[in-house]
Amino acid sequence: MTSISLPPGCVTCYFVRHGERVDHIDAEWSYSAPVPYDPPLTAEGSYQARRTGALIYSLEKQAQAEEEEEEESAAQVTEYLIVTSPFLRCVQTAEGIFKGFGQSWAKERETSTGGGGGISDPSGAWRIAVEPGLSEVMSESYFSQQVPNSIITWRKRELEASEQRGYGGGGGGGVHYAEGYVPASEQMPHFPENFQNMMARFVSTLDQVVTRQIDQASREAVRARGSLQTRRRVVIFVTHGAGVGSLLWATTQQVGFNDIGYCCVTRARILGRKSSLPLPMFGTSRVPAYSWKVDYNAYSGHLARPSR
């Protein structure tokens, strides 16, 4: 079946596992926690998230410069969307990524006459949304019962309330909730969930999120016909270890990614759609709709602390 080509660089995705979780450091935490299945990050986990944001900033700066050079035209406009699992550790990681990206941008703006390396102020270009399709695998090894859908509402309200919290280090507002975002799944995965169903869920989530981004980009391209500006879309998926493994399968068609550490980063750039057939019903297929160019597979080199 012939692949359908897409504009180069139209969608770039980053797959990120959450940072270090407190219950893996403090074995007593869950005994007194009001929601023991939903631990927050440790201080180290927050640091890992900010370092991940700084890495994505450097990768984006390089990618944008390369694409602008190839286009030989005006500067690009890049829109960033973070889609996150509703579990607290993932939402906190997503906020940390935004903070680390913003701090890198602000630092470069202060030290460079170019102002932020050609990248727009993140406070105006970033949106965040809760995506239940990125939830932890609902394994009986991790959970004893169904996780309630109320966790989705809690996280969305918390994110909407935190919009005024900026990234610091030179100003900047908070990341805004993506009000128009339509989730791939509107409810938590069914408990218990087997491995095959989890894989299908992540394939569907990736395909649906990316398809909507491409559709939006296509509509904007029509409206902006004749404009010197071009648009890039970057989607950062913040999920769990099993989720990153599933997304790697969806983009590489390879299995065996077992070394998926905290806040590891994978970059996947879309090449084309495999067919013009409609996407299958959510969670019913493990066959991905798109072909990808993948690098930085589960990369974690950015997390090393500088030697003293």
Side-chain angles (χ1 to χ4, degrees), residues 244-258:
V244 171
S246 298
L247 292 171
L248 280 166
W249 151 255
T251 50
T252 67
Q253 296 292 276
Q254 298 176 7
V255 296
F257 294 97
N258 297 318

Side-chain angles (χ1 to χ4, degrees), residues 57-58 60-66 68 75-76 78 80 101 104-121:
Y57 175 82
S58 66
E60 280 298 292
K61 180 184 172 185
Q62 179 183 11
Q64 188 162 319
E66 291 172 352
E68 287 179 359
Q76 292 181 327
T78 304
Y80 294 86
F101 189 105
S104 295
W105 176 86
K107 182 177 180 180
E108 182 151 344
R109 185 187 63 174
E110 292 174 355
T111 58
S112 171
T113 57
I119 295 178
S120 301
D121 184 348

Side-chain angles (χ1 to χ4, degrees), residues 13-157:
C13 296
Y14 293 93
F15 309 140
V16 182
R17 187 189 176 192
H18 60 77
E20 182 182 75
R21 49 191 283 181
V22 70
D23 59 333
H24 282 189
I25 300 302
D26 181 1
E28 304 295 319
W29 178 87
S30 60
Y31 295 123
S32 58
V35 188
Y37 62 77
D38 195 22
L41 296 180
T42 62
E44 179 67 15
S46 296
Y47 167 82
Q48 292 167 344
R50 294 192 301 274
R51 291 296 304 155
T52 300
L55 171 66
I56 292 175
Y57 175 82
S58 66
L59 294 176
E60 280 298 292
K61 180 184 172 185
Q62 179 183 11
Q64 188 162 319
E66 291 172 352
E67 290 173 13
E68 287 179 359
E69 184 176 341
E70 290 175 4
E71 292 285 339
E72 296 183 351
S73 62
Q76 292 181 327
V77 176
T78 304
E79 296 182 1
Y80 294 86
L81 172 66
I82 312 178
V83 286
T84 174
S85 161
F87 285 89
L88 181 57
R89 56 192 179 274
C90 290
V91 173
Q92 290 179 335
T93 299
E95 291 183 306
I97 290 171
F98 169 74
K99 187 173 185 178
F101 189 105
Q103 289 175 341
S104 295
W105 176 86
K107 182 177 180 180
E108 182 151 344
R109 185 187 63 174
E110 292 174 355
T111 58
S112 171
T113 57
I119 295 178
S120 301
D121 184 348
S123 63
W126 284 57
R127 297 291 183 270
I128 189 169
V130 174
E131 175 52 73
L134 296 176
S135 296
E136 177 68 279
V137 55
M138 294 292 119
S139 167
E140 291 175 298
S141 300
Y142 299 159
F143 302 96
S144 60
Q145 59 185 353
Q146 177 70 46
V147 175
N149 288 325
S150 56
I151 190 176
I152 303 169
T153 305
W154 297 341
R155 291 293 107 80
K156 183 176 179 181
R157 288 176 179 171

